[in-house]
Amino acid sequence: MKELLHGNPELLITVVGIGGCGCNTVNMLHENNLSGQVNLIAVNTDLAALNSINVEKKILIGENLTNGYGAGADPDIGFQAAQESEELLRNAIMDSDIVIITAGFGGGTGTGASPLVAKICRELKINCLAIVTLPFESEGQKRLDYALQGIDDIKEPIHAYITLSNDLLLKGLGESVGLFSAFNQSNEVLKNLLIALVQMLNETGYVNVDKNDFSTILSYEGESILGVGKANSEEEAFDALDQALNNPLVSIANIDTAKGIIFQLFCKSEPKLSTYNGLIDHIRTKITNRSVLIVPGVTLDPNLTSEIEILIIGSGITSEKTVTKPIIDIEQTPLMPIPESEHSEGQTKLHENQHGVVANSYAPEHDYIDDELSFINQGESLTDIPAITRKLMAINRL
């Protein structure tokens, strides 16, 4: 039992940072000493950028195509570079149990290469999650168009993806925030989400959430959310939960219809039973869907920077109206099916978070259709348009 509590050595999680933003993120994970727990890989067309980070495993893609000078902000070049180096990418991830792609969309390498990496994961039957950022509005419509096309390209091969809007993050930080501070905050969001996910999946807890639980929850169709909250004492644990459920940067409707939820409690020291039960009960009070599958987890980590950290993942949420101003959007396709007998028991529900995430799947939504969507062909469904595209349209109308 003691050996089990030290972690699951057979589970290999690979985080692939693609392009400038993605490489910066995996470099932050390396600096936070996660390289001993997960396989960190930096992928770029820019040799100078690769040489500037400390991640040990680096892959220069498209060397013959770009000569190591980058993709020139052209996603087509990024894709061709990944094609040229496809065998290198395949060999780097082929032994992984879960692959998490992180990239900034809107440029060349991250936008163009990420869909091919997701496709390789699909071919290798590796569950894959992508966490990507959208460009700032000030970066221009062209980069936003590239980003939206990248999301459209990745939605078929990927199992689930999360998009973070830098503009909505900027609105939350205020107009006076510095440029570097804004980018650092965006990277901090990515880092906190990835660290919490990796820790949950890679460490065996006293109440354990494993890879199959993770796959099951993300396989539910509908809107999804992911959030992280922190507290400096156990007495403030409910504040951490509220951070995870009520991110002011996130707006999501009808979360009470969630079909699946993961509630993961990280503690520096042993929590009170009343705290554990109280947190789950607090989530239950927010849920009207009594058939929801809730998977609780508890991990003791004396090295936590805060006394309490809470990770919330939820999916299968039905929305009756268009969600406005989401910071994150997760498009989902079903993951590898998990036998019914392996589904964990429990019940709970969620909301939003301090570094929150909102998500949509391909299940039909009850969004309203206005003149801005009149370009949809008569034979196409509204859900043929990526959810993030519809939501950004809604934001632009505000």
Side-chain angles (χ1 to χ4, degrees):
M1 180 61 72
K2 288 182 179 179
E3 291 178 0
L4 286 175
L5 292 174
H6 287 156
N8 182 357
E10 297 181 358
L11 182 64
L12 178 60
I13 301 171
T14 297
V15 180
V16 184
I18 305 177
C21 177
C23 287
N24 288 338
T25 301
V26 294
N27 195 53
M28 281 198 306
L29 296 179
H30 173 80
E31 292 173 351
N32 281 268
N33 300 317
L34 251 71
S35 56
Q37 301 178 39
V38 296
N39 184 28
L40 298 177
I41 302 175
V43 176
N44 211 337
T45 54
D46 188 331
L47 180 59
L50 274 178
N51 288 335
S52 68
I53 63 175
N54 298 319
V55 177
E56 293 182 6
K57 297 180 180 178
K58 307 175 187 180
I59 299 177
L60 177 66
I61 59 173
E63 182 176 3
N64 295 327
L65 178 66
T66 71
N67 295 314
Y69 289 112
D74 186 343
D76 288 337
I77 299 298
F79 179 74
Q80 293 172 34
Q83 282 185 314
E84 179 186 313
S85 306
E86 183 172 350
E87 199 60 30
L88 286 174
L89 296 169
R90 184 180 300 272
N91 291 335
I93 65 176
M94 65 185 307
D95 295 325
S96 304
D97 294 287
I98 295 174
V99 169
I100 300 173
I101 295 172
T102 175
F105 273 23
T109 304
T111 311
S114 294
L116 183 58
V117 175
K119 177 176 177 289
I120 294 172
C121 290
R122 176 74 70 171
E123 293 172 351
L124 294 173
K125 294 180 170 52
I126 300 172
N127 285 330
C128 184
L129 166 69
I131 303 178
V132 304
T133 59
L134 295 176
F136 288 101
E137 183 179 359
S138 60
E139 296 180 69
Q141 185 63 40
K142 189 69 172 178
R143 290 181 68 87
L144 178 58
D145 290 343
Y146 280 158
L148 296 179
Q149 182 60 51
I151 291 172
D152 196 43
D153 292 339
I154 205 173
K155 73 178 185 181
E156 181 177 350
I158 203 72
H159 290 112
Y161 70 80
I162 302 166
T163 60
L164 298 134
S165 169
N166 279 333
D167 275 331
L168 294 177
L169 184 64
L170 177 61
K171 291 178 182 178
L173 295 173
E175 295 296 330
S176 61
V177 66
L179 174 64
F180 297 150
S181 296
F183 278 115
N184 287 338
Q185 185 63 36
S186 180
N187 285 336
E188 190 73 12
V189 170
L190 281 170
K191 184 193 77 173
N192 287 337
L193 291 177
L194 287 169
I195 287 177
L197 277 172
V198 166
Q199 187 174 11
M200 178 189 73
L201 292 168
N202 208 42
E203 297 182 9
T204 302
Y206 284 91
V207 181
N208 193 46
V209 176
D210 62 19
K211 180 181 71 171
N212 287 347
D213 297 319
F214 179 72
S215 298
T216 298
I217 294 302
L218 286 189
S219 70
Y220 287 115
E221 294 184 348
E223 295 188 37
S224 302
I225 97 172
L226 187 156
V228 177
K230 300 181 181 182
N232 293 322
S233 68
E234 186 171 343
E235 288 70 25
E236 298 173 347
F238 288 89
D239 293 334
L241 179 59
D242 286 339
Q243 290 171 16
L245 297 178
N246 299 290
N247 185 352
L249 300 178
V250 178
S251 177
I252 186 168
N254 300 318
I255 58 171
D256 57 334
T257 60
K259 297 176 182 176
I261 295 170
I262 289 176
F263 163 72
Q264 177 70 33
L265 176 64
F266 301 98
C267 304
K268 184 177 282 190
S269 57
E270 181 182 1
K272 297 176 183 176
L273 177 61
S274 59
T275 300
Y276 172 75
N277 284 334
L279 289 169
I280 295 180
D281 286 341
H282 185 64
I283 298 174
R284 287 179 183 276
T285 62
K286 300 178 179 293
I287 303 174
T288 59
N289 178 16
R290 296 305 173 186
S291 64
V292 61
L293 170 66
I294 296 179
V295 180
V298 180
T299 297
L300 187 63
D301 182 2
N303 298 318
L304 277 181
T305 56
S306 53
E307 183 65 29
I308 293 286
E309 183 171 324
I310 294 174
L311 173 68
I312 292 287
I313 304 173
S315 64
I317 300 169
T318 303
S319 177
E320 294 182 357
K321 295 182 180 180
T322 299
V323 178
T324 60
K325 297 187 177 180
I327 184 176
I328 307 168
D329 206 39
I330 303 177
E331 289 285 351
Q332 297 172 311
T333 58
L335 299 187
M336 299 172 193
I338 306 299
E340 191 67 29
S341 60
E342 294 182 20
H343 288 185
S344 300
E345 296 180 358
Q347 276 142 317
T348 352
K349 146 141 213 216
L350 22 124
H351 206 117
E352 303 140 28
N353 115 318
Q354 174 189 6
H355 296 309
V357 183
V358 183
N360 264 342
S361 90
Y362 305 130
E365 300 176 359
H366 302 289
D367 293 353
Y368 59 87
I369 304 175
D370 61 15
D371 291 340
E372 291 185 3
L373 297 177
S374 61
F375 62 86
I376 301 176
N377 295 331
Q378 293 297 321
E380 294 180 338
S381 165
L382 177 61
T383 54
D384 291 330
I385 306 302
I388 186 63
T389 307
R390 302 196 302 273
K391 292 185 179 184
L392 286 172
M393 289 177 175
I395 292 172
N396 291 334
R397 288 193 296 267
L398 300 180

